[in-house]
Amino acid sequence: MHMRPRRLTAAILLGAATATIVVGWAGSANGRAAWSPGSALPGLGPGRVWSVATSPKTAGLVLAGTDAGVFVSVNSGATWTASTLKAGRVWTVGFDSRDPTRLFAGTDGKGVYLSTDDGATWTDVSAGLQELTVRTLAFGLDGIAAGTNRGVALSPDGTAWHDGGLDQYSISALAVAANTPSLLLVAS
């Protein structure tokens, strides 16, 4: 089976010691993706990239959560710009699955931030969060889940949060089951 090469819209992180973004092309003749280095993230220095997310709506729009805040690319990772969210470490970034114009960032000790203008400006939307270190976000049809150092927080819209339980655990990964949106998978 021969697939036509196409540029992936995702930026992928390789190497935790230094922030290296690489961009992949899927569908080579041998079935492997072709990889090439993306550009550096200006101002990141020796910091790390902790998460990346691609827009399901806007082709080429990619977010990177880093030690120096959020970086934005509008060309699939070829170039990057530091956003106005410089809240220190940003553990996780993502797009609301119900409205992909809503971008979210989970920070280290400063809660959750929302952007509705492709990352140009950010608003603190941490009302109700009992723990402000947000290590992971999961987006479902019924709302958003945040994995924190003290369990899970839930929100119907990402702006008002309530306790979702598991307070005795530090949550490092969350996922919403696509075929059963009320099922939330948790790892600590």
Side-chain angles (χ1 to χ4, degrees):
M1 176 174 155
H2 178 71
M3 294 174 61
R4 283 188 353 196
R6 64 179 174 86
R7 187 172 181 143
L8 295 175
T9 58
I12 309 293
L13 166 72
L14 285 182
T18 59
T20 303
I21 300 287
V22 296
V23 179
W25 284 264
S28 64
N30 64 4
R32 294 183 177 181
W35 300 97
S36 66
S39 68
L41 281 72
L44 183 59
R48 296 182 178 179
V49 175
W50 296 103
S51 65
V52 292
T54 61
S55 172
K57 180 180 181 190
T58 306
L61 178 59
V62 183
L63 303 176
T66 75
D67 281 339
V70 175
F71 285 79
V72 179
S73 175
V74 295
N75 54 14
S76 298
T79 59
W80 294 89
T81 304
S83 79
T84 58
L85 182 55
K86 295 175 177 25
R89 179 170 292 152
V90 173
W91 287 113
T92 185
V93 290
F95 294 84
D96 189 334
S97 57
R98 299 161 302 168
D99 180 359
T101 64
R102 294 166 42 91
L103 292 55
F104 286 87
T107 67
D108 189 11
K110 296 182 180 171
V112 176
Y113 286 80
L114 166 68
S115 175
T116 57
D117 55 10
D118 292 340
T121 60
W122 295 85
T123 303
D124 183 347
V125 290
S126 303
L129 275 178
Q130 296 179 21
E131 166 62 43
L132 295 179
T133 294
V134 178
R135 299 179 68 85
T136 184
L137 294 166
F139 302 90
L141 299 177
D142 294 333
I144 302 170
T148 75
N149 281 348
R150 286 191 355 211
V152 176
L154 302 172
S155 175
D157 62 1
T159 63
W161 299 87
H162 64 274
D163 185 15
L166 300 175
D167 295 347
Q168 68 273 29
Y169 297 101
S170 178
I171 307 301
S172 59
L174 294 171
V176 176
N179 58 350
T180 311
S182 61
L183 176 62
L184 179 65
L185 307 172
V186 180
S188 71

